[in-house]
Amino acid sequence: MAVENGFFKEVLKNLENANRHLNLPVAIYERLCTPRRSLIVSVPVQMDNGTVSFFTGYRVQYDFARGPAKGGIRYHPKVNLDEITALAALMTWKCGVVDLPFGGAKGGVACDPTIMSRDEIKRLTRRYTYEIGIIIGPESDIPAPDVYTDEQVMAWMMDTYSMMKGHSVPGVVTGKPVSIGGSQGRNKATSSGLVATVKEALSHLGLKIEGLSVTVLGFGKVGYNAAKILSDAGAKIIGVADSKGAIYNPQGLDIDKVASHKKQMDSVQGYSGADNLTIDELISIESDVLIPAALEGQIHTGNAGKIKTKIVAEGANNPLTIEANDILIDKGVFIVPDILANAGGVVVSYFEWVQDLQRFFWNEAEVDLRLNAIMKKAFAEVLSISKEKKIDMRTAAMVLGVKRVADAIEVRGLYP
Ligand code: GLU
């Protein structure tokens, strides 16, 4: 990853940049530069072969001035404290941009789930949940899925926490299966929200969705659902990539067929209705919209110069390095930044938490309606700050999100 070990520094640089337009009181700015609480845990797991392996897990609660800390859990070999801290800060600004009554958090375990059995992942999840159980809870910090974690992992987390409490606590995590208090629409929420912001960007730039050419980097839950929703709406998905490589068909791909090919072959490559390309070759191909939807630092100085697109909508968290962001802005690319573009996931997580606390559940149409209203409003607010202050969309989103957090910290005052 291009931002490895410097990820939090990048987040702080973006914060410093936003503060040029906010001029926050020094003590509040300094508060925002430091996480409130960081927990590192050792997670012993009995492996299938009988040995015990020790994994390192993290949970960082970056800020909770506006409400309980909120953010996903990722299982990935590259998880480390710098990355989790950076992602927890991004969650804080993100919840501010879409005006949710949450602070920001992130967690993760450094492990390679692709080489672990389902049982090993279950035992890892249960022990990790127990270890961070001292700081999570529906009133304090609510985890959710992120890279390589899913509904089942959330079900195990909910069950473990509930066993510790002696009664069911559905509101402790979001992104659960519907049968135990998950929300309708949560599974594709990040992508639905992303598409809502792409539609707003199109109408701002005077473009239409019909016939729009789209490239998607990353074919996990976010990338696949974004491709599917856009293609159903009339766009042409001309290329997709996963970690192993890319495929390209200028006539447009059949997303369901690509998905079933990936399920069988473990990669999009080799799909019969397209040509194989390297990821960098796909990045160089002209398209109207590019959606980076895998990991941070996907677009960097090495490949940003080759991009020929009108809109970049960030499905992943921090997929552009600071340098790549500047290169694209110089080229006149309209960027919908991550803390706005991918906020749909946490918006529906908020709906799930509200439904769990009230034990009163909504249908999918209601979820979609409320999600779209929030995404549209946030896009309009960010765009208006960007126009008014003559700043790019990322800085504008930061100004909006950070200001809401700073206001909460200021009005609450310093304890004691
Ligand atoms: N992991 C997602 C994100 O980065 C969702 C977090 C949540 O729903 O709490 O936004």
Side-chain angles (χ1 to χ4, degrees), residues 59 69-74 87 90-91 94-95 100 102-103 105-106 142-147 149 174-175 186 190 222 315-317 338 342-350 352:
R59 184 72 184 169
K70 184 84 191 83
I73 301 281
R74 64 171 57 182
L87 291 165
L90 290 183
M91 281 308 303
K94 191 187 301 188
C95 290
L100 303 180
F102 284 143
K106 203 80 176 194
I142 306 134
D146 197 80
V147 173
T149 54
T174 57
R186 175 63 184 84
T190 308
V222 177
N317 289 314
D338 51 2
N342 72 30
V346 73
V347 169
V348 178
S349 275
Y350 164 58
E352 180 172 334

Side-chain angles (χ1 to χ4, degrees), residues 348-364:
V348 178
S349 275
Y350 164 58
F351 298 161
E352 180 172 334
W353 177 74
V354 167
Q355 294 170 75
D356 286 340
L357 295 184
Q358 300 183 340
R359 306 294 203 266
F360 179 70
F361 292 90
W362 316 346
N363 61 32
E364 191 161 348

Side-chain angles (χ1 to χ4, degrees), residues 256-278:
D256 285 332
K257 287 190 181 150
V258 176
S260 61
H261 172 85
K262 182 174 164 84
K263 211 169 176 190
Q264 276 173 7
M265 309 307 286
D266 213 25
S267 170
V268 294
Q269 283 219 317
Y271 170 63
S272 57
D275 295 330
N276 284 339
L277 294 183
T278 65

Side-chain angles (χ1 to χ4, degrees), residues 198-214 230 233-236 288-289 310-311:
V198 168
K199 285 184 180 163
E200 294 304 300
L202 292 177
S203 86
H204 168 62
L205 299 174
L207 297 168
K208 284 211 175 73
I209 203 155
E210 293 76 25
L212 194 79
S213 58
V214 180
L230 282 166
K236 226 172 21 172
D288 296 316
V289 180
K310 298 186 179 95
I311 299 172

Side-chain angles (χ1 to χ4, degrees), residues 61-334:
Q61 298 173 345
Y62 200 84
D63 191 80
F64 33 86
R66 286 170 52 85
K70 184 84 191 83
I73 301 281
R74 64 171 57 182
Y75 291 168
H76 193 275
K78 292 195 166 156
V79 161
N80 60 58
L81 186 61
D82 179 76
E83 180 195 49
I84 297 298
T85 307
L87 291 165
L90 290 183
M91 281 308 303
T92 309
W93 323 145
K94 191 187 301 188
C95 290
V97 171
V98 281
D99 209 3
L100 303 180
F102 284 143
K106 203 80 176 194
V109 180
C111 65
D112 186 354
T114 63
I115 55 166
M116 292 169 73
S117 72
R118 222 42 199 154
D119 274 347
E120 287 169 342
I121 293 173
K122 176 162 71 178
R123 290 192 288 272
L124 173 107
T125 301
R126 287 193 178 283
R127 184 59 188 252
Y128 169 66
T129 305
Y130 172 79
E131 296 297 338
I132 64 164
I134 52 174
I135 59 167
I136 63 169
E139 248 113 57
S140 54
D141 179 2
I142 306 134
D146 197 80
V147 173
Y148 284 133
T149 54
D150 56 16
E151 282 194 354
Q152 180 60 69
V153 170
M154 292 306 116
W156 290 326
M157 289 193 79
M158 178 269 192
D159 182 66
T160 305
Y161 186 84
S162 299
M163 295 307 287
M164 288 163 62
K165 294 288 163 192
H167 55 91
S168 280
V169 190
V172 66
V173 289
T174 57
K176 300 178 295 294
V178 170
S179 57
I180 52 167
S183 177
Q184 299 290 344
R186 175 63 184 84
N187 208 31
K188 56 176 179 59
T190 308
S191 311
S192 305
L194 182 79
V195 172
T197 65
V198 168
K199 285 184 180 163
E200 294 304 300
L202 292 177
S203 86
H204 168 62
L205 299 174
L207 297 168
K208 284 211 175 73
I209 203 155
E210 293 76 25
L212 194 79
S213 58
V214 180
T215 304
V216 183
L217 307 176
F219 206 62
K221 192 167 75 174
V222 177
Y224 160 73
N225 282 308
K228 175 81 182 124
I229 298 169
L230 282 166
S231 138
D232 289 349
K236 226 172 21 172
I237 314 300
I238 59 169
V240 298
D242 59 23
S243 59
K244 303 202 171 94
I247 53 170
Y248 168 62
N249 180 344
Q251 306 312 320
L253 298 161
D254 181 323
I255 297 307
D256 285 332
K257 287 190 181 150
V258 176
S260 61
H261 172 85
K262 182 174 164 84
K263 211 169 176 190
Q264 276 173 7
M265 309 307 286
D266 213 25
S267 170
V268 294
Q269 283 219 317
Y271 170 63
S272 57
D275 295 330
N276 284 339
L277 294 183
T278 65
I279 300 171
D280 272 357
E281 280 168 347
L282 181 64
I283 284 177
S284 328
I285 281 174
E286 192 166 346
S287 63
D288 296 316
V289 180
L290 175 74
I291 300 178
L295 288 172
E296 54 266 20
Q298 260 183 298
I299 315 276
H300 42 79
T301 40
N303 56 18
K306 298 180 195 154
I307 290 175
K308 298 181 213 81
T309 193
K310 298 186 179 95
I311 299 172
V312 168
E314 297 183 330
N317 289 314
N318 211 62
L320 271 54
T321 61
I322 289 193
E323 297 79 19
N325 183 65
D326 293 346
I327 293 172
L328 293 180
I329 287 176
D330 284 349
K331 282 173 157 236
V333 176
F334 185 84

